[in-house]
Amino acid sequence: MNDVAVYPLPGNELLARSLADAIDSPLQRLSVHHFPDGEQLVSLEGPLSAKSVVLVCSLHRPDAKILPLVFAADTARDLGASNVILVAPYLCYLRQDARFHPGESVSAYCFGRLLSAHIDGLVTMEPHLHRLPSLSAVYSVPVRSPHGVAATAEWISANVRDPLIVGPDDESKAWVTQIAERIGVPCVVAHKTREADRRVSVKLHVPPAYAKRTAVVVDDILSSGQTMLGTIGALVHHGFGNPVCIAVHGLFEGVSVDDLISAGASRVLTCNTVPHASNAIDVTPALADAVRDLLESLPAPL
């Protein structure tokens, strides 16, 4: 795609290079200079005139990334880009999608309006929607949100013998069912009760017929790790020692791979939506398909 240029925000170079190769577009340099007073200057390698610009920025720990991202999007337009697409494999600020107490901001909508004002389209992977029917409820630009089902199922099929797919909570049921159906294996779903931000209890029933299978726990986000730890504990209690643990987005806020291994996991791996040593499942093909589809849907520049 000669009319497309891919730019990684700092820390996103590996995925951006893979994405650029997948869509046959050049990877160009984006630099961020920090002044002594903390202000930032963004520079984009050109030329950009009449090009579609794809900015790659995974938005974990987002607050320090937002201003450079906004500056990059606006600079691309100033330099003649026909449109600006954000590829944010992990998308932040979806937790607070309602006002639970008087005076609280509804940050999902605030952030959606902020980003929508500076980009022409958004691609993200497995957004963690709670009460929102879709991302279009908070983003006013075209959105594509591919799933990690195919890549995850492919990895499990190639690496785990006789797997039993385990969902850690009711929200995971549809997702783990799709993975299990793709590879023709059974699945079970645990029931989770969150007692506090960092305390959960997990109950799990596993039919005796699955006793000799290898448990594979699959979740969309691994953050505090309490859900995954609780699920590992429930599996070990049922005789499923050494389960494999998979998460799409590995944030690892308050838990480490070593913690999960110590709890009984045999292996912990994530998709490459958030850079981490546990990245083992490549979702670049799904992101690339979404970028192509989004670019083809946008109006041609005048």
Side-chain angles (χ1 to χ4, degrees):
M1 302 179 76
N2 295 327
D3 56 344
V4 178
V6 179
Y7 291 86
L9 274 290
N12 295 270
E13 291 81 6
L14 189 61
L15 179 60
R17 181 174 298 280
S18 179
L19 180 63
D21 289 343
I23 64 173
D24 194 24
S25 298
L27 180 70
Q28 298 188 184
R29 189 168 61 89
L30 184 156
S31 62
V32 180
H33 174 75
H34 296 268
F35 293 102
D37 62 359
E39 293 187 2
Q40 302 176 76
L41 173 66
V42 172
S43 301
L44 296 125
E45 178 185 21
L48 285 81
S49 181
K51 287 194 174 184
S52 293
V53 165
V54 177
L55 301 175
V56 181
C57 185
S58 192
L59 290 173
H60 58 294
R61 291 187 171 267
D63 291 5
K65 302 174 181 179
I66 301 308
L67 272 182
L69 177 57
V70 168
F71 291 160
D74 284 9
T75 301
R77 280 210 183 90
D78 288 345
L79 295 175
S82 59
N83 51 63
V84 178
I85 303 301
L86 170 61
V87 176
Y90 173 73
L91 184 62
C92 58
Y93 284 116
L94 290 170
R95 176 187 292 108
Q96 187 77 7
D97 56 11
R99 183 170 291 111
F100 302 104
H101 301 96
E104 288 183 342
S105 67
V106 186
S107 51
Y109 289 90
C110 295
F111 192 72
R113 288 190 294 268
L114 172 65
L115 275 190
S116 295
H118 298 279
I119 60 176
D120 300 295
L122 170 67
V123 174
T124 189
M125 175 72 64
E126 296 290 353
H128 195 65
L129 303 177
H130 296 277
R131 288 152 292 273
L132 295 172
S134 70
L135 281 177
S136 296
V138 291
Y139 286 87
S140 60
V141 296
V143 174
R144 300 292 185 274
S145 53
H147 298 291
V149 168
T152 302
E154 182 178 350
W155 188 93
I156 294 171
S157 180
N159 293 277
V160 182
R161 184 177 178 180
D162 295 327
L164 168 67
I165 312 302
V166 179
D169 53 32
D170 295 332
E171 292 180 354
S172 67
K173 182 176 181 179
W175 205 60
V176 299
T177 299
Q178 291 178 54
I179 292 172
E181 288 177 348
R182 274 181 173 266
I183 54 182
V185 300
C187 66
V188 295
V189 177
H191 177 71
K192 177 182 72 176
T193 301
R194 184 170 294 279
E195 300 167 356
D197 283 349
R198 293 184 177 274
R199 189 171 68 252
V200 302
S201 63
V202 175
K203 295 181 179 180
L204 179 66
H205 171 70
V206 183
Y210 303 156
K212 294 184 178 181
R213 289 185 170 271
T214 300
V216 182
V217 186
V218 184
D219 205 356
D220 58 346
I221 296 179
L222 179 54
S223 184
S224 71
Q226 296 309 301
T227 299
M228 192 70 80
L229 287 168
T231 308
I232 293 170
L235 286 166
V236 170
H237 176 74
H238 283 276
F240 288 87
N242 303 318
V244 177
C245 297
I246 299 175
V248 177
H249 308 300
L251 305 185
F252 294 99
E253 301 290 351
V255 72
S256 67
V257 170
D258 288 343
D259 293 333
L260 297 169
I261 297 295
S262 296
S266 63
R267 184 172 182 183
V268 180
L269 55 141
T270 60
C271 297
N272 57 336
T273 60
V274 177
H276 191 267
S278 63
N279 291 163
I281 299 175
D282 184 15
V283 294
T284 303
L287 292 171
D289 286 344
V291 169
R292 292 189 199 96
D293 182 64
L294 182 55
L295 288 171
E296 289 173 0
S297 74
L298 294 176
L302 298 176

